[in-house]
Amino acid sequence: MANIQKRIALFRELVQSCSDLSFWDYTADLTLITPVREEDELMTYFLRYSSVFSDLETYAASGGRLPLILNDSVGLIWSVTFEYEGNTLKFIHVMGPCNMNGESKNAVLEQMDRDNLPIDMRKRLRETLQRIPVLPNTTLFMYTIMFHRCVTGVTITASDFQYPASVLENIKNRMEKSLFEAEDENPTGPRHVGVSDLDAALMNAIASGNIHYQKNFSTGSKISTGIRMKSFSSLRTGKDSIILFIGLCSRAAIRGGLPPEISYSLCDMYVSLTEGCTTLSELSNLNHTMYDDYVHRVHAYRTKSDYSREIQACCDYIEIHLTEDIVLKELADLTGYTEYYLSRKFRKEVGMSPSEYIGRKKTEHACLLLTSTEKSVQEISDLLCLNQITRSRVIAFHIS
């Protein structure tokens, strides 16, 4: 028992050095035993008065031993690990709450407004809410696997996680309701007619590097307005739709011959830029830029000049690390050449020095971002680590 408590204490210390995630200990009958500081007092409110608390009670009473993932209707999520001594449940350890995106906090505030809580209570809850961390589900799941190992000594995977029956039933009901609503709103036929063929055409254009894709791309907005979902805002729905589209484009580009490292790096960058968009028009411009970028990169790879393996590796490295400050030594280490020899070989094959090539690629991408997002020159300069010369070129482009 003492060893378990030491492991738990160490685990909490390690996790909280990376994320402001809260931990709570309960007895088997769900009596809170963790010392609660005054500033943490209201943090327990979000679980105790959540609809999922009864799910936790039910699961604990059933003798469940695997981690339980609780996700309430406003997007807050908890991970629960159970400590047994023999066949007797001794303690229940809760991590959370956290949420998967900032929109969840807005939903919590809206719920508090609907509950007509006293003004002073709402004020204190709002302040507490700001301390709830935003965590990707992969991070929370990784923490859960490690926490379960600390408590039980058993190694599991995410597929072993348990979810309340009420959650699964709600998902099923929402799916069925959504299908009926789709039929009611569009009695003349399915909402997504033609989308499959359009997706195939758009992905084929990327895979083949077809730079004459404009007709199919413009048709897309007439056939589909993105994924069908209820969200907190049309902006959130637009972001989710584009993030799914980026993933499809990334895989199509790989099929077309674009190195996976470049394709996935682009995917990460465009997903990040998508989350940073603040208007639907900015999203639309970024979506077009992203698609055009993938098409032209695949086209360039399918029609490129025959660079040597070492020089092509340098070009690929530069494409992948556009958001970093790339130096010649990194490229030399990559190829095994000296910096002097690499510079001569690079200039001979590409027609410019490595530093000029890096500057050109960063400039091209900065100009793309200027025309497709609402980011300022300074923000783009910071994102791409532009030097003064390259930044001046971008400013000149922006002014023109």
Side-chain angles (χ1 to χ4, degrees), residues 182 185-186 189-195 223-229:
E185 292 174 7
N186 189 8
R191 164 79 175 264
H192 298 294
V193 169
V195 172
I223 292 182
S224 175
T225 56
I227 59 175
R228 183 173 176 79
M229 61 180 288

Side-chain angles (χ1 to χ4, degrees), residues 194-221:
V195 172
S196 178
D197 291 340
L198 174 66
D199 279 348
L202 289 172
M203 295 307 108
N204 285 337
I206 290 180
S208 63
N210 181 5
I211 58 177
H212 305 293
Y213 64 84
Q214 286 79 6
K215 182 177 179 181
N216 281 335
F217 194 87
S218 61
T219 301
S221 61

Side-chain angles (χ1 to χ4, degrees), residues 48 105 110 114-115 125 132 181 202 255 326 347:
R48 173 61 71 174
K105 294 184 179 182
E110 292 176 5
R114 287 194 292 270
D115 290 344
L125 282 172
I132 296 178
E181 286 179 347
L202 289 172
R255 292 199 305 272
I326 306 168
R347 181 181 290 277

Side-chain angles (χ1 to χ4, degrees), residues 107-372:
V108 175
L109 295 175
E110 292 176 5
Q111 182 63 49
M112 287 193 296
D113 290 337
R114 287 194 292 270
D115 290 344
N116 293 319
L117 297 175
I119 293 177
D120 62 330
M121 179 69 159
R122 268 187 280 184
K123 180 177 182 296
R124 293 174 62 202
L125 282 172
R126 283 174 181 269
E127 293 171 351
T128 305
L129 184 63
Q130 300 310 312
R131 296 176 46 222
I132 296 178
V134 176
L135 284 183
N137 60 349
T138 51
T139 301
L140 180 68
F141 289 175
M142 178 180 66
Y143 287 163
T144 301
I145 291 170
M146 292 190 292
F147 197 26
H148 184 77
R149 178 62 186 263
C150 281
V151 173
T152 68
V154 177
T155 301
I156 60 172
T157 66
S159 62
D160 295 312
F161 296 165
Q162 302 296 296
Y163 298 86
S166 62
V167 171
L168 301 178
E169 186 63 28
N170 286 339
I171 292 174
K172 179 181 177 183
N173 291 338
R174 286 200 301 269
M175 288 175 64
E176 292 177 352
K177 181 180 179 182
S178 178
L179 289 174
F180 284 123
E181 286 179 347
E183 293 175 358
D184 293 341
E185 292 174 7
N186 189 8
T188 60
R191 164 79 175 264
H192 298 294
V193 169
V195 172
S196 178
D197 291 340
L198 174 66
D199 279 348
L202 289 172
M203 295 307 108
N204 285 337
I206 290 180
S208 63
N210 181 5
I211 58 177
H212 305 293
Y213 64 84
Q214 286 79 6
K215 182 177 179 181
N216 281 335
F217 194 87
S218 61
T219 301
S221 61
K222 300 174 184 176
I223 292 182
S224 175
T225 56
I227 59 175
R228 183 173 176 79
M229 61 180 288
K230 287 182 172 62
S231 182
F232 303 120
S233 70
S234 56
L235 181 63
R236 181 68 257 168
T237 301
K239 289 181 179 181
D240 291 338
S241 296
I242 290 177
I243 287 171
L244 288 174
F245 189 54
I246 292 170
L248 292 174
C249 292
S250 174
R251 284 156 180 77
I254 293 172
R255 292 199 305 272
L258 192 67
E261 296 83 0
I262 294 178
S263 187
Y264 290 140
S265 294
L266 285 172
C267 181
D268 292 342
M269 182 187 68
Y270 278 117
V271 168
S272 177
L273 289 171
T274 297
E275 288 293 356
C277 289
T278 57
T279 64
L280 290 174
S281 60
E282 187 181 6
L283 273 178
S284 178
N285 288 335
L286 181 64
N287 189 44
H288 191 183
T289 297
M290 176 276 301
Y291 186 84
D292 185 80
D293 194 6
Y294 269 116
V295 169
H296 278 83
R297 285 176 187 269
V298 173
H299 178 77
Y301 259 83
R302 295 171 72 94
T303 60
K304 67 184 177 184
S305 302
D306 292 327
Y307 295 157
S308 65
R309 179 173 58 84
E310 292 80 9
I311 298 304
Q312 186 59 58
C314 289
C315 293
D316 290 347
Y317 183 89
I318 291 167
E319 293 281 4
I320 295 170
H321 297 86
L322 281 177
T323 57
E324 300 173 18
D325 186 14
I326 306 168
V327 296
L328 182 58
K329 186 178 184 307
E330 296 175 50
L331 302 179
D333 291 343
L334 181 68
T335 61
Y337 294 151
T338 64
E339 294 179 34
Y340 174 75
Y341 182 77
L342 175 61
S343 293
R344 290 189 61 188
K345 186 174 178 61
F346 196 98
R347 181 181 290 277
K348 181 178 179 180
E349 294 189 26
V350 182
M352 64 185 76
S353 70
S355 60
E356 289 172 329
Y357 184 84
I358 292 169
R360 173 177 291 187
K361 288 299 178 180
K362 284 180 177 282
T363 301
E364 288 174 356
H365 208 73
C367 293
L368 270 177
L369 297 180
L370 273 177
T371 57
S372 61

Side-chain angles (χ1 to χ4, degrees), residues 289 359-360 362-373 375-377 380 384 386 388-400:
T289 297
R360 173 177 291 187
K362 284 180 177 282
T363 301
E364 288 174 356
H365 208 73
C367 293
L368 270 177
L369 297 180
L370 273 177
T371 57
S372 61
T373 72
K375 290 184 177 297
S376 66
V377 172
I380 293 173
L384 298 179
L386 302 185
Q388 189 59 46
I389 295 176
T390 307
R391 186 171 183 272
S392 298
R393 292 174 185 160
V394 175
I395 292 175
F397 171 84
H398 182 57
I399 294 173
S400 63

